[in-house]
Amino acid sequence: MQPSEIISVNIWQIVVSLCNLVILFLIVKKFLYKPVCKMLKDRQELLEKQKEEARQNLEEAQSTKQELEKELEDAGQRAEEILAQATAQGQRRQEKITEDARAQADDIVRQAKVQAELVKKQAEAEIKAQIVEVSFTLGEKLIEREIKEEDHHQLIDDFISQIGDDTDEK
Amino acid sequence: MKAWKEGMSKLSDAVITQEKECVKINRGKKFLALDILYIAMMVLPIVTAITLKVLFTPASKGVTITGPLVYFRIPFIIQDFIITESQINSALVIITILGICLYLTHGLSIDPTLKRQHIAEIIVEKAKGLVSGNMGEAFGAFTSFIMAIMALSACSSLLSLFGLFPPTSDMNVVAGWSILVFGIITYYKLKCGPANYLKGFTEPVAILTPINIIGEFATPISMAFRHYGNVLSGVVVSVLVGSALQGLSAMLLSWAPAFIAGIPIFQIGIPAVLSVYFDLFSGLLQAFIFAMLTMLYVSGAFDPEGYLEYKRKKQEKKMKKQKIKNAK
């Protein structure tokens, strides 16, 4: 086993080493470059797919959010409407009640007035009768003389009417 | 809302199934066995090379710097077909690189679960970036070729770290690579048409034709000699310095008894430093330089504008021929 010269040219060695490089090129291409590139491409595709999905989901979520917001707004509006309606109704009812109450009160007052008038008239009549009686007895006793009944009545009536006027005025 | 929920559940299901698959791959016995096979493919060639070296190296007298050992010599046309240490080592390096490639790409998945996948991705992406940066996007197919050149050159040079004969210090090996590169360069130059290729030698002046031809052939020769010379000079310097240190230590310890004088004290640490420079740094640098020069020469050889023009002229000629045929 002898070592060769340090600088020696052998064509077949050159050819073999050239083939070696070509073989290694094919090995690297088949076993390292292509699988890794394929994997990277797959990953890129997956990422893009996921991104697309995420974008779609986001869009959906946004549209849903908008819908919900719109619904919320509508609900608020409706609530306001209902509130306004209720307020108006309440006011109306209140007014009606007040009116009714007022009417009733007026009625009561009127009735009371009529009754009072009636009572007053009755009382007047009673008082008149009593006064006539009293004054008659009084007059008999005071004057102690016989007076014509007609004159007497005249006198008392005058007197009473005067009194009535006075009470009316008061 | 419903669709969104469905989408989310689908996505989570997909993730879970993927994770399960990954776990399955990791725990498979077959996977482990293949891993061991690939690691053996990486390690065994180097062990084989060391064994061969130990078995067949003849005892040398004094300081000798020799070429590769010749294992077989087969008579053949032109020259004997010889299988030398450099051929064997190159083949073993190729097996090692094949083992590394298989190991790195083993268990490749979209969701990286293995650390080696990151290494494989980094290697491929860096190589892609280097090639597209130096040659342009059009030469993307050259990525694996450049990777192969770099790997073969670097690993061959690094064999000297194990005390083996680096195939790159054999001129024939590097000459083969540079001839291949020269072939690629010429192929790209010929793409603009043979006439244009020949015309290129007479530019800028016709008198410079011989110099241009010399320059053309200087490219592969310079590439081969640069790489080979650098690695070989590293080997030579290492051997010289080693023997010099041996002599120095023997001289300094000459007063001592024989068993002490035999200890080469200077040879303990200094050759390691030299080895770091010549074997590691220089080897990797030469691999990088060889790959860079390949990229620059190949991308420089191709003239896209000339190529387009040549194609257009060819098409015109075809059209004219067809017209003539039609007229007939």
Side-chain angles (χ1 to χ4, degrees):
Chain A
M1 202 69 51
Q2 279 300 310
S4 63
E5 291 292 317
I6 191 147
I7 299 175
S8 61
V9 177
N10 187 305
I11 292 167
W12 303 118
Q13 264 190 301
I14 291 175
V15 171
V16 167
S17 86
L18 198 152
C19 293
N20 276 348
L21 185 57
V22 172
I23 289 165
L24 191 72
F25 159 63
L26 294 176
I27 285 173
V28 168
K29 191 175 180 183
K30 175 112 180 35
F31 292 109
L32 183 65
Y33 184 69
K34 272 195 175 168
V36 172
C37 276
K38 190 174 165 283
M39 190 274 301
L40 287 174
K41 206 178 153 194
D42 284 356
R43 182 189 287 166
Q44 194 71 27
E45 273 171 13
L46 184 78
L47 277 180
E48 257 158 38
K49 211 174 110 193
Q50 277 178 353
K51 227 190 262 178
E52 190 61 35
E53 259 175 46
R55 203 180 298 135
Q56 273 179 2
N57 285 341
L58 193 72
E59 270 170 24
E60 247 170 66
Q62 264 171 349
S63 65
T64 320
K65 195 186 157 195
Q66 270 177 352
E67 268 175 37
L68 287 179
E69 266 177 9
K70 211 178 157 190
E71 267 179 37
L72 205 70
E73 218 171 288
D74 282 358
Q77 253 175 356
R78 218 179 304 151
E80 260 172 46
E81 266 174 39
I82 289 167
L83 202 68
Q85 232 172 351
T87 315
Q89 217 172 359
Q91 222 157 10
R92 254 203 317 271
R93 193 172 290 173
Q94 190 196 358
E95 270 169 25
K96 202 184 161 196
I97 288 168
T98 327
E99 227 167 286
D100 282 0
R102 199 171 292 149
Q104 234 166 344
D106 279 357
D107 262 9
I108 291 165
V109 168
R110 217 181 306 126
Q111 264 177 353
K113 265 186 186 167
V114 170
Q115 223 164 358
E117 201 81 14
L118 221 85
V119 172
K120 195 180 147 190
K121 272 184 184 163
Q122 236 173 357
E124 262 177 21
E126 228 168 279
I127 289 167
K128 245 187 214 171
Q130 269 180 357
I131 286 173
V132 168
E133 219 171 301
V134 170
S135 54
F136 197 74
T137 24
L138 267 175
E140 251 182 10
K141 275 186 182 173
L142 275 173
I143 304 165
E144 290 183 334
R145 61 171 180 160
E146 228 177 300
I147 312 169
K148 277 182 183 171
E149 214 165 305
E150 284 169 21
D151 292 350
H152 200 86
H153 268 291
Q154 183 75 42
L155 199 75
I156 287 163
D157 275 347
D158 281 355
F159 179 70
I160 283 166
S161 70
Q162 261 174 4
I163 288 169
D165 287 348
D166 281 354
T167 51
D168 276 354
E169 273 169 17
K170 270 170 195 176
Chain B
M1 279 299 275
K2 224 178 182 180
W4 183 69
K5 266 187 185 170
E6 272 174 19
M8 276 304 283
S9 63
K10 263 187 198 170
L11 206 74
S12 61
D13 281 353
V15 168
I16 286 164
T17 48
Q18 250 175 7
E19 274 175 1
K20 273 182 187 167
E21 274 171 15
C22 289
V23 168
K24 262 185 202 168
I25 288 167
N26 277 344
R27 283 178 185 166
K29 271 188 184 172
K30 205 177 161 192
F31 187 87
L32 204 72
L34 276 174
D35 255 13
I36 290 166
L37 177 71
Y38 296 152
I39 291 170
M41 271 174 84
M42 284 189 254
V43 178
L44 279 183
I46 293 163
V47 177
T48 318
I50 291 171
T51 319
L52 283 173
K53 171 105 180 167
V54 169
L55 285 177
F56 293 109
T57 306
S60 59
K61 291 168 195 164
V63 183
T64 50
I65 297 163
T66 59
L69 284 174
V70 179
Y71 289 117
F72 298 107
R73 191 179 283 274
I74 305 160
F76 210 62
I77 44 166
I78 308 171
Q79 251 180 326
D80 286 351
F81 186 86
I82 51 173
I83 291 177
T84 62
E85 218 177 350
S86 52
Q87 309 299 319
I88 303 274
N89 282 0
S90 300
L92 295 173
V93 161
I94 287 171
I95 294 171
T96 305
I97 293 171
L98 173 62
I100 292 171
C101 288
L102 287 171
Y103 181 75
L104 286 180
T105 56
H106 195 206
L108 214 62
S109 67
I110 291 172
D111 278 330
T113 47
L114 298 164
K115 276 180 189 170
R116 65 183 86 148
Q117 188 178 338
H118 297 294
I119 299 170
E121 276 173 36
I122 288 168
I123 290 171
V124 170
E125 296 215 313
K126 288 275 169 199
K128 259 188 186 171
L130 190 71
V131 170
S132 60
N134 281 312
M135 300 173 84
E137 296 285 343
F139 288 94
F142 266 87
T143 309
S144 36
F145 182 69
I146 298 299
M147 276 161 79
I149 282 188
M150 274 197 174
L152 191 54
S153 170
C155 290
S156 299
S157 299
L158 289 179
L159 275 188
S160 58
L161 279 179
F162 297 99
L164 299 166
F165 178 83
T168 40
S169 73
D170 185 345
M171 199 181 71
N172 299 309
V173 174
V174 193
W177 304 348
S178 56
I179 284 170
L180 181 60
V181 172
F182 177 69
I184 294 169
I185 292 169
T186 313
Y187 170 73
Y188 274 100
K189 279 191 177 170
L190 282 171
K191 269 202 165 183
C192 298
N196 284 340
Y197 174 66
L198 292 175
K199 205 178 141 194
F201 285 111
T202 60
E203 278 167 359
V205 201
I207 308 165
L208 289 175
T209 308
I211 291 173
N212 276 333
I213 290 168
I214 291 169
E216 192 70 15
F217 287 104
T219 303
I221 292 169
S222 72
M223 275 175 90
F225 274 80
R226 180 184 294 112
H227 196 172
Y228 145 78
N230 267 289
V231 179
L232 182 67
S233 68
V235 173
V236 170
V237 170
S238 295
V239 169
L240 286 179
V241 168
S243 60
L245 289 171
Q246 197 178 9
L248 192 66
S249 56
M251 200 176 78
L252 281 179
L253 293 171
S254 57
W255 50 270
F259 67 93
I260 296 177
I263 301 171
I265 48 165
F266 287 108
Q267 264 186 309
I268 289 169
I270 297 165
V273 179
L274 284 176
S275 175
V276 165
Y277 177 76
F278 285 120
D279 298 338
L280 209 65
F281 176 70
S282 184
L284 295 176
L285 191 69
Q286 286 309 317
F288 182 70
I289 288 170
F290 197 89
M292 277 306 264
L293 285 177
T294 306
M295 285 190 278
L296 293 179
Y297 283 140
V298 171
S299 61
F302 184 61
D303 177 20
E305 285 174 19
Y307 176 63
L308 287 176
E309 204 172 320
Y310 174 67
K311 251 193 162 180
R312 214 192 58 221
K313 277 184 182 173
K314 230 182 171 180
Q315 235 169 9
E316 276 175 12
K317 268 187 186 176
K318 258 190 182 175
M319 293 277 274
K320 269 183 188 175
K321 271 188 183 175
Q322 266 187 348
K323 268 184 187 175
I324 291 163
K325 267 189 185 176
N326 289 339
K328 275 180 182 177

